[in-house]
Structures are given as C-alpha cells and as structure tokens.
Amino acid sequence: MEPLGGWKRTHTCGELNRSHVNQLVTLMGWIHRRRDHGGLIFVDLRDRYGITQIIFDSQIDSKTYERARQLRNEFVVAIKGYVRQRPAAMINPNRSTGEIEIVTHEIKILNEAITTPFPIVDQVDATEENRLKYRYLDLRRPEMQANLILRHKLYQLARNYFTKNSFVEIETPYLMKSTPEGARDYLVPSRNYKGRFYALPQSPQTYKQLLMVAGFDRYFQIVRCFRDEDLRSDRQPEFTQIDIEMSFVEPEDIYAVMEGFMKEVFQEFFQENLKTPIPRLTFAEAQQRFGSDKPDLRFGMEIATVTELVKKTEFKVFRQAAENHQIICGICLKNGAGYSRKRMDELNSYILETGGKGLVQIKVSENGWDSSLSKFFSPTEILALNQAMQASPGDLLLLVADESEKAYTLMGSLRLKLAREENLIDKDKHQLLWIVDFPLLEFSPEENRYVSRHHPFTSPMDDDIPQLAEKPAEVRAKAYDLVLDGYEIAGGSIRIHSRELQKEIFKVLQIDAQEAEQKFGFLMDAFQYGAPPHGGIAFGFDRLAMLLAGRTSLRDVIAFPKTTSALSLMDNAPTTVSPVQLKELGLILEKSVADQE
Amino acid sequence: MEPLGGWKRTHTCGELNRSHVNQLVTLMGWIHRRRDHGGLIFVDLRDRYGITQIIFDSQIDSKTYERARQLRNEFVVAIKGYVRQRPAAMINPNRSTGEIEIVTHEIKILNEAITTPFPIVDQVDATEENRLKYRYLDLRRPEMQANLILRHKLYQLARNYFTKNSFVEIETPYLMKSTPEGARDYLVPSRNYKGRFYALPQSPQTYKQLLMVAGFDRYFQIVRCFRDEDLRSDRQPEFTQIDIEMSFVEPEDIYAVMEGFMKEVFQEFFQENLKTPIPRLTFAEAQQRFGSDKPDLRFGMEIATVTELVKKTEFKVFRQAAENHQIICGICLKNGAGYSRKRMDELNSYILETGGKGLVQIKVSENGWDSSLSKFFSPTEILALNQAMQASPGDLLLLVADESEKAYTLMGSLRLKLAREENLIDKDKHQLLWIVDFPLLEFSPEENRYVSRHHPFTSPMDDDIPQLAEKPAEVRAKAYDLVLDGYEIAGGSIRIHSRELQKEIFKVLQIDAQEAEQKFGFLMDAFQYGAPPHGGIAFGFDRLAMLLAGRTSLRDVIAFPKTTSALSLMDNAPTTVSPVQLKELGLILEKSVADQE
C-alpha cells in the first residue's frame, strides 16, 4: 500500500482515444481484469467513467512488470504510462477507449483487495441478500453506477426546471408533529421533553400549505418521506418525492407546469418529443375501460361492458348477474383461440385467486363461437357480443360477471397479466396520462365511516360541495394522478383553503372538533389570516427514476436501500441501543421485548 | 370568499412598469395597505415578487369600489384592471412598479383575514416567540422571503457547480445505525424489530466513504443532519450541510475544488471577484496570532507573544508566569488610551468571567507608559514591548499571563469583543481562509483518554504516523477548516483508507476491537475490498446562507426552525403519542415520565 505522494490523475479511465496517442498520462482505478501472457500483462483498469487497457511489458520496464504480477482483481492502483494506438485487429469498438492502450512505466499500488464475494460485472450471479450486504461492491457494477448517475441527472433536471419556472426550493423540517395517519409514523423520542415524540414526515403536506399561506407562491423540494408500512414488496420505509405546491391555481395550471416538466424528462431520458397536452381519463372511465386507476396505455385490449347485450341470455351466470345489478364485462385477446385447455385453466385459476367467481372463456371461430356456451346465446347475442368486443375469428373472449368495481378490477388485472405474458407491450414506447375526477371519499367498512381517498385537505369539486352531507360517496375531488406506463408517478390535488370548508370535511370524516384542533389546529389557524387558493402535486422520485432506468425494482435506483422488512443488511440497522441512551429518553422496553434481546 | 373561476394571473405584483401602460392585467395577492380617500381607495397589493398600487375609483366602477371598501389588511384578492402611468409627482422610485398603478375594474375576494398578531413589515416589533408560533406570517415579511430566496439560489449554485465538476449527487439513508457519538443521536424505534432502533444521521460520513469504496469518485449531497445537542444559542437539532467526498485526492485537490465553489459564491452573493488561492494558516499559527481556530481577518489587532521580552521583569505576575512555563501575550487597541476607569474595569471583568486571572492594561503615552506598572519595567523592556505590540502613543495594551492555550483563547475572545464594540469590522468586506494542520487528537480529562478532534476516520499526516503510539498529542491530521469572517463554514479531512491504520487509531482512542467491530465493522470490512485514497469536506449550509444574507441568526434563513430547546412553537412538536403507538413499538414510558404527562 503506497500513498499518492503528489501524483495527480490526468485523465479518467473513460476518456482516452486516438487523439491522446503518445501522451504521458496518469490513471487511477480498480483492476477489473488481468491477463498474464508471460512477459506481457494486460490489465483492464476501471473507474466510474470507463475501462482502459493498460499493459505491463517486461521488455520495457522489468521492475514495473514484476510489481504488476502481484496485482489481483479490485486492487486500487495509480499508473503512469504512454498512450499507444492499438493495432487495427485489436481495436475494441464496444469501448470508448477501445482504440488505445497504455504502456505502463510506473505503478503505485494504492490499496489491495481480498477476493470479492461476487464478481464486479453486470450480469452478476449474486443473491439479493449479498448484493445488499456488500452494497459498496454491488454499486461498483457499471449498471448500478449508471442507474445512480441517471438519478443524479433527474435531480438536476427537476431542480433546474422548477427553478426556471419561478419555484422556490424550501426545506421543511424532518422532526415534526405526529400526523393523522399517525399509525404509520416513525416516531422520534425527545430527550429534552421526556415522554414526548417527534414524527418523521410521511410528506411535508402541512408545511407546503403553510408556505402558500406565507405567500411563497411556487414551492418545490426534493424531499425524503417516511412511512412505517406493513411489508410490501415494492416499498421502502424512506422514499424520495418531488414535492410541489402552487398558489392561485386551478388543476389546469398544475397540469401545464407538470407537462412542461415531463416534456424535458422525455427529451432527456427517452430522446422523445412528448406531445402535450397529455391525454386525460376520468377515474370512472379508466376503471371501465382498463380496470385500473393507473392503466398502461401502451397496448389496447380495452374492457367492454356487455351487460345490456346479454342480460336476457339463457346463460344463467350472466342473466342472474344482470338481474342482481352486477355487470358483465370482458376483454378480447387477439389470436388467443389457440390457447390450450391447460392455459385456459390457468387463467381461470388466476381469476379465482384474485377474488373472482370464475372466468368465462370463448374462442371465436369463422362460424361464431367454438365453445360449449354458444348454445345458450342467440345468434343476435353472439353477433352483438363479438361486435362490442371487436372480436375476429381466432380471438379469445374472456369475461366475468360480478359487482361493478370488482369485475373491472379483475379484468384490469387479467388484461395486464396477458399483455405481459404475451409480450404485447412495446418497451420502447412510453405513455403518459392524467387520471382526473377522483372520488373525494371512500367508505371504510372497518372504521364504519368515510375516509379521504387522498388526504383530508383535498378540495371537493365546487359543484359537488352541496352533496357533502347527503351523498358523500358521489362527491368528486379536485384530485389528479399522473400515470406513466401503468405506474402512478405523481398525485396531487387542489387543497381546501377555507377554514369553514375544512371543518365541514372533518365533520364528514367524523374527526371531531377537538381532535381536529389538536392535530391540525395550527393549519386551521393559518387559514384565518389570508390563505390563497392553492394546490400541488408530488412525484414519486424513486419510481420515476426506476422507470426512466428501465428497471423493475426500486432497490436498483437507491444507493443504500432497505429490505422489505426495513432492515439494512449492510450495517444491520436497526440495532439495540445502550440502557443509558434509553434512560436519557425516559423509555423502558416492554418486558417481553427486553427478554428477547 | 369566491373561487378563482377560471381567472388567471397575467403578471406578478413585481413586474409591471411603463411598458405595460394601457394593458388589461390580472393580479393576485394580499392587501398590504389600504388608504380610503373617499371615492378613491388606494391599495398596495403584495405578492412575493413585489408590491403594486391598485386604485378603486367610485367614478369608474361604483360596484367594485363598494367591494373594495370591505377590504382589510391581508385579505387575498384577484383584480382585473388597466395599467396607468402615474403622474410624475406620484412616482415611487423605491419600487420596481413605482411608475404605474392599476385602475381596478373587477375584483374577487379570494379569502378574508382576521387581524394578524403582528404587522407584515420588515421592521417588525414582534417577539421571537410570536414570530415562531405564527411562522407563516413571519415568512410573509419581504425580508424573510428574501432570505429564503437567497437560500434557494445557494442550493442551485452549489448543485450546478458540483455537477459541472463531475460530482454525482447521491442520497444516503436517514434511517441508519446508531453511531459512535451515539449519545447525541436521535433514535427511531423500529416496529418490525421491537426493542431495536435506527438513528438519524449526525452526518452521512460512513455512507460517503462507502460510496468512495464503491467507486463513485466524486460525491455530493445537500443533506439534513441531526444532533440532539445540549442547548446552545446558535444550534438547531436538524441542520443542513453540503456533504462532499472525493477519491484519489490529497488536501490540495480538495482546496482547489472548494475555492472554485467559493469563487462562484462570492461572485453571486457579494459581487466580488474572490482571489485564489485562499490564504492558509496552520492551527498553531491561528491560535498564536488570533487566539482562535476561526479567526476573523477583516481586522488586525493580532496577538503578540511577549514572554521572552518580559520574563525577567520585576513585575511579578509576568515573571512568575514565565517561570511556570506560562506565556504572556496581548493585543494593542489603537487609540484605546482614552478608555475610562469604568471601561477598563469592564474589560477586566470580562477576562475574569471568561476564565482568566486578570487583564493587564497599559496606556501608551508619548513618554512611555501612562501606567502605575511602568515602574516595574525597565525602559528597554518598555521599548521592546511597545515595538513587539506595534504600540504608538494613545494606544492601549491589553495583556494576560496564563497557560499557553488559555492565554491565546482569552486574547482571541477579547480581540473579537473589542472589534465589535469599537466597530473595527468592515461589514462590506469578506475574508476567507483555510485553517490547516490541526492536531489529530485531544486529551479528554473526563474520559481519561485521547479523543478525535474531528472524527476517528481522519487520516494522520504521513510523517506523524510513527508517533501515534508514543506522542499522540503531537500527531497532526490531514484536516482543514474553511473560515469566513470568523465563522467556520466548512470542515473536512483526508480519511484513513487502510484497515490496519484504522485499527491502530481505534487502539489509540481506546476503542476495543469488539466495540470497533460492532460499530464500524461494515466500514472496516469494506476497506478490505479495494478502498481508494479519499477525503472530503462538509459545508454548514445554514450558516453559509446566514452569512451571505448578512444575518446573525440561523433562524432567519430556515423556513421552520425550532427553538434552542428543540421545540416547534408552531405545531408544539414534540407531543405525546397514543398508548397504541407506544405498544406497537414495545415501549413503555418510565413511571416518573408518564406521571408528568
């Protein structure tokens, strides 16, 4: 191990080419690969910028050559040498430095390395567990480096875009008051006030609204949020969002600014000129046509609702469903008539597992239907159904009969499954859309009350306000989601800025005045002093980065992620702490817990 | 209260001028001031961009005029009207919009406001407590808005600078493992693993070092850090730093990049062309010449050490001090000989309160000293002292005799006090310097061991490594601080990247192998797999913003600060939480604590 001793890098391992031939250069990096040809050693030297081939020739410098024989993978070295053009046959067109190599005259071994638990290559055969435990090695893989560099670019693009659009970046506290969705708050015990707790923000929602009351007009922040959720495969206990709020706006104003942002994102990361305005679907329409509030529009296979066409059919399943105010809906899989019995059984099982009562599957043939069910349907019904579902001979019709919401959700889920399995999605295509006109509330059977779909600060549509008391389920919200390729990448709303309307909403939500005062008193107070109309949106930064990087796991775009059970495999956090630390906080572990430790 | 109903702002309240005359415009904002001239109402309409005068004329539109009579301060309104040039006599040259006014034709009252607890003006006569409680109103004051907008600019400048210098912005976790300085960690109890805790980072130190091991080469992040410190007036429990780390570097490389950054900062915020390289002082020299490791160089009054000159004087205080290996040092206050007895007593008291044994004060006259002490000094001694302290007739000499470190610290503190009180500091001047060659360790009498001055990952100077075991106090560190106008704005070091050296340091610090393994095992492990030489620095973002804004309180540049006792006066965090929440975490409050709540 040697010190740098004043050596300075002249170039990175990604930048040398023919124009540098004969220059004396100093490179520093990791030994990526070493081949010993007896008297001649070839080394691939790697840094984050690329790989350069360096050569140790015993004829040229025997001492340096001897030192090179000690090199092993992942040793850290600094070398000085001359850039040499490679013979034509040796040029590597896949590498930016593929035209040249360095003839090494001097080497410093800056650090050694023991054998890594997995090789530093993109197609790595390592367990997820090992990748997380040795994250600092996993992050050496060029693919992971590219993901984080993409993420870096997305930060800068976002901040530059919002800055040039007069937004002010403002940091909000991480140590805040425990919020209404308190059950999922991470708590932080206070030492100065024993027995009291801060909470880590699930979002800076109240702060950004207060910033609007303060007159900041356009605010943004790329900010960490925390949610102590029950385990789900694609969630992280801490996540990043681009948090945005604007004053004096209606939904159209928000759309316009966000579409400008997405235009730049598409240009930078997909090299695509995004056409605006981005299409919009109401929540109800998205549900009926795609069975999802975040439909993937990169393929068709829309859901057709055929209740009216078959409500008098002799096929009892459909007729009785219609009689019970259920619906019949389905999708048409083009050229699916070739499916085997086994495949069709699989699909049926999928529907049963997903909570459905069964899947009706009909093969469409030249002469009508190639199905035992055809006897229950009149020719008119068959024709009408084929037409409604745009079926041609060779297609497969897939239908369910159920309660409206469930039927659409089942079909939406099947639609996506089939598209993935049948490779119907063009991965090079990207499709954005707005989902609008969300319901404001949904009924929670567990709590036996209405709860906010978004959060309790969401403004109802002006026209629907009179129905708040009588028909709360029918009140629509000034809320909107932005969907990319079947993922919700952003969601937001126009907020309530009237103290009276906010109180009315709390009443509908059965949050009593005292509770409201205790939890949101400061926000309600603020509304008394001249709160402007305002609204905003938040982008899921991790998910957006994941989609832009073409990945399917959030962990691939987060430097140091946790497992789905919120564990850090690298440093083993969370860990026990000393009794002194607990004592200082006025806390005791429950006996059963203490016994386990 | 009326909805926007499709109205759109055409301009802000800061942008209209003569070129807009006769245009129909729509403005939105807050009523800043209203003057009713009977038939004619003048209103100053305010938003974050400025103030525009709008006029309601009963002759022009009596209905709108009548509505305007209802307006009160801080009401939120939208108005439509025509831009009109003001008569020459009415032009307000202090306002960007001072040449024009708006003749209002239509108004919407978007929200009303009750009387604010303090007026929304810069020279506000509000208590700090009220300013924090009603922070959303305090932030409406143009001065506070300017502070946060300056902060916004500093974020962008920093990120753009580091981005263009090939740094990668990477987010590191906020939920991490409790660290060595654990006593000041904020803890976060885990729900999935009851009895275990995450800690909020005091800095992302270990992560950034791991990113260097991962090959990221140049990393930066503007990141929140947390420290549960005992109360100090100018600290916040959460603070922001620009965190930076680089690979393959020595201190000079760090200096160069940071000086480039400071050049841009000076240009943007001081409109000054910063000359580089920034001057450097060793820690020892800063101590001896300025009695501080963060000297303010905007004024002179350097400390002179005069022990050798007076060690044989008849003045017992000095002679005995010299005999006891203490030092005698002092400063010369130009033209200070006019000080009254009372003022001199004050200064003496200050030294006593600060821990000194007394202040020797000597007025310099044409004929020597105008002091009862002159009889104890020979004319040669008097001359030598005057020369060493660059004293002229009319000056005041201020000296102490004490242990070296204490004597310098006393003088450094007195130097600063006098400069402030005598207005010797030119506030329009700004002075940066590097402090280098810090000692690696300092002895902690409480713990009876050496502790790291910076942190245990700081690299010793190569030449000093052999002395680690025998003379640890003399080992210098590859550490550096950047000082602006007497404030430390950044500090950093070259890190240890050798597992063996790191182990040796732990030994000197008396951190035993097991403890080291438990706390830093993952970092030590990482060092085995090819850790490059690396180092970094972190800027105190809040403090830098404070200095650039010309403020003296961190709270003036933080949107939602806490009090010195870490309390949020706006939402009263920290608060008690529900028993259910505690139960889920496996925690019980100590009885004495629970009884209080």
Side-chain angles (χ1 to χ4, degrees), chain B residues 29-201:
Chain B
W30 284 260
I31 306 297
H32 190 61
R33 219 155 58 113
R34 195 185 68 110
R35 283 158 297 154
D36 196 333
H37 288 194
L40 206 57
I41 294 173
F42 290 85
V43 165
D44 280 349
L45 189 66
R46 188 195 69 234
D47 66 14
R48 106 154 121 96
Y49 310 90
I51 289 180
T52 299
Q53 178 165 286
I54 60 178
I55 291 176
F56 298 87
D57 186 338
S58 59
Q59 306 281 320
I60 289 175
D61 188 316
S62 66
K63 226 172 78 188
T64 301
Y65 170 80
E66 280 307 318
R67 298 214 59 203
R69 295 188 61 185
Q70 304 163 27
L71 297 177
R72 296 291 173 271
N73 279 358
E74 303 307 314
F75 272 33
V76 187
V77 302
I79 62 109
K80 283 189 186 184
Y82 287 93
V83 182
R84 183 168 80 183
Q85 183 153 6
R86 293 198 204 181
M90 309 293 276
I91 285 177
N92 180 345
N94 300 319
R95 239 181 228 176
S96 63
T97 62
E99 291 179 317
I100 57 92
E101 59 197 7
I102 315 292
V103 184
T104 314
H105 286 253
E106 254 189 288
I107 182 169
K108 280 182 189 249
I109 298 179
L110 301 175
N111 214 340
E112 303 189 350
I114 61 174
T115 304
T116 53
F118 50 82
I120 310 303
V121 292
D122 276 344
Q123 302 306 322
V124 69
D125 182 26
T127 61
E128 176 84 13
E129 195 182 324
N130 259 345
R131 287 182 55 201
L132 290 175
K133 179 170 176 189
Y134 299 98
R135 189 63 166 179
Y136 43 87
L137 298 178
D138 193 37
L139 290 177
R140 277 189 196 163
R141 298 192 299 116
E143 181 178 78
M144 290 300 290
Q145 301 213 328
N147 289 347
L148 292 193
I149 287 164
L150 177 148
R151 195 176 163 116
H152 164 82
K153 285 186 186 149
L154 182 58
Y155 292 130
Q156 314 316 321
L157 183 150
R159 295 208 199 81
N160 290 336
Y161 176 80
F162 288 106
T163 295
K164 88 183 163 213
N165 282 282
S166 298
F167 286 76
V168 187
E169 179 177 354
I170 299 175
E171 285 181 272
T172 53
Y174 282 127
L175 296 174
M176 64 177 289
K177 185 188 172 92
S178 188
T179 51
E181 311 82 15
R184 294 291 81 93
D185 277 351
Y186 276 105
L187 297 181
V188 182
S190 159
R191 191 165 53 96
N192 285 335
Y193 303 90
K194 290 190 179 61
R196 301 200 185 180
F197 296 80
Y198 305 97
L200 299 178

Side-chain angles (χ1 to χ4, degrees), chain A residues 403-415:
Chain A
E403 304 293 342
S404 161
E405 197 179 325
K406 190 195 272 180
Y408 289 128
T409 305
L410 285 169
M411 272 299 126
S413 155
L414 185 65
R415 171 181 176 269

Side-chain angles (χ1 to χ4, degrees), chain B residues 534-583:
Chain B
H534 62 285
I537 193 166
F539 282 80
F541 191 93
D542 306 306
R543 186 172 290 162
L544 182 56
M546 179 189 88
L547 293 172
L548 299 178
R551 312 297 305 177
T552 52
S553 166
L554 292 176
R555 292 185 295 277
D556 283 347
V557 293
I558 297 175
F560 299 102
K562 296 198 171 52
T563 65
T564 49
S565 59
L567 201 67
S568 164
L569 297 182
M570 193 175 66
D571 62 9
N572 288 320
T575 58
T576 55
V577 296
S578 72
V580 180
Q581 278 175 288
L582 286 183
K583 177 84 194 158

Side-chain angles (χ1 to χ4, degrees), chain A residues 224 238 559-560, chain B residues 170-174 204 207-208 211 219 221 223:
Chain A
R224 206 73 57 83
E238 45 181 317
F560 298 102
Chain B
I170 299 175
E171 285 181 272
T172 53
Y174 282 127
Y207 291 114
K208 67 177 176 174
L211 287 171
Y219 142 93
Q221 185 184 192
V223 63

Side-chain angles (χ1 to χ4, degrees), chain B residues 71-354:
Chain B
L71 297 177
R72 296 291 173 271
N73 279 358
E74 303 307 314
F75 272 33
V76 187
V77 302
I79 62 109
K80 283 189 186 184
Y82 287 93
V83 182
R84 183 168 80 183
Q85 183 153 6
R86 293 198 204 181
M90 309 293 276
I91 285 177
N92 180 345
N94 300 319
R95 239 181 228 176
S96 63
T97 62
E99 291 179 317
I100 57 92
E101 59 197 7
I102 315 292
V103 184
T104 314
H105 286 253
E106 254 189 288
I107 182 169
K108 280 182 189 249
I109 298 179
L110 301 175
N111 214 340
E112 303 189 350
I114 61 174
T115 304
T116 53
F118 50 82
I120 310 303
V121 292
D122 276 344
Q123 302 306 322
V124 69
D125 182 26
T127 61
E128 176 84 13
E129 195 182 324
N130 259 345
R131 287 182 55 201
L132 290 175
K133 179 170 176 189
Y134 299 98
R135 189 63 166 179
Y136 43 87
L137 298 178
D138 193 37
L139 290 177
R140 277 189 196 163
R141 298 192 299 116
E143 181 178 78
M144 290 300 290
Q145 301 213 328
N147 289 347
L148 292 193
I149 287 164
L150 177 148
R151 195 176 163 116
H152 164 82
K153 285 186 186 149
L154 182 58
Y155 292 130
Q156 314 316 321
L157 183 150
R159 295 208 199 81
N160 290 336
Y161 176 80
F162 288 106
T163 295
K164 88 183 163 213
N165 282 282
S166 298
F167 286 76
V168 187
E169 179 177 354
I170 299 175
E171 285 181 272
T172 53
Y174 282 127
L175 296 174
M176 64 177 289
K177 185 188 172 92
S178 188
T179 51
E181 311 82 15
R184 294 291 81 93
D185 277 351
Y186 276 105
L187 297 181
V188 182
S190 159
R191 191 165 53 96
N192 285 335
Y193 303 90
K194 290 190 179 61
R196 301 200 185 180
F197 296 80
Y198 305 97
L200 299 178
Q202 296 189 34
S203 95
Q205 183 64 34
T206 47
Y207 291 114
K208 67 177 176 174
Q209 294 195 238
L210 289 168
L211 287 171
M212 294 305 105
V213 175
F216 277 97
D217 200 276
R218 293 183 156 208
Y219 142 93
F220 83 101
Q221 185 184 192
I222 299 184
V223 63
R224 207 74 56 85
C225 302
F226 304 84
R227 204 171 295 154
D228 191 2
E229 283 194 285
D230 292 316
L231 315 183
R232 278 213 256 168
S233 63
D234 198 26
R235 294 275 177 160
Q236 286 282 318
E238 45 181 317
F239 54 98
T240 302
Q241 68 185 37
I242 311 177
D243 197 47
I244 293 151
E245 197 79 5
M246 300 166 72
S247 287
F248 304 114
V249 290
E250 294 178 321
E252 292 295 338
D253 304 295
I254 308 259
Y255 301 158
V257 175
M258 299 313 131
E259 294 187 357
F261 173 51
M262 290 316 295
K263 251 181 137 48
E264 294 200 0
V265 167
F266 266 55
Q267 194 59 59
E268 171 75 25
F269 297 99
F270 296 147
Q271 290 77 50
E272 187 183 328
N273 182 17
L274 175 70
K275 289 202 194 72
T276 52
I278 292 169
R280 295 176 203 170
L281 276 181
T282 65
F283 172 79
E285 200 180 348
Q287 191 69 2
Q288 285 164 28
R289 289 174 51 191
F290 304 99
S292 168
D293 58 0
K294 42 178 194 285
D296 191 334
L297 297 195
R298 288 175 300 174
F299 63 98
M301 217 170 15
E302 288 192 23
I303 301 170
T305 308
V306 295
T307 322
E308 286 303 312
L309 306 180
V310 297
K311 66 183 177 186
K312 296 193 171 155
T313 172
E314 287 175 34
F315 183 49
K316 224 167 54 179
V317 175
F318 284 179
R319 197 182 62 242
Q320 288 182 348
E323 283 165 8
N324 292 327
H325 304 290
Q326 296 187 335
I327 64 156
I328 297 106
C329 67
I331 53 179
C332 170
L333 178 65
K334 287 283 146 201
N335 308 313
Y339 267 17
S340 65
R341 185 74 256 156
K342 183 162 165 255
R343 174 66 173 153
M344 290 170 76
D345 286 347
E346 257 172 39
L347 296 183
N348 191 51
S349 301
Y350 175 77
I351 289 293
L352 294 173
E353 284 158 20
T354 318

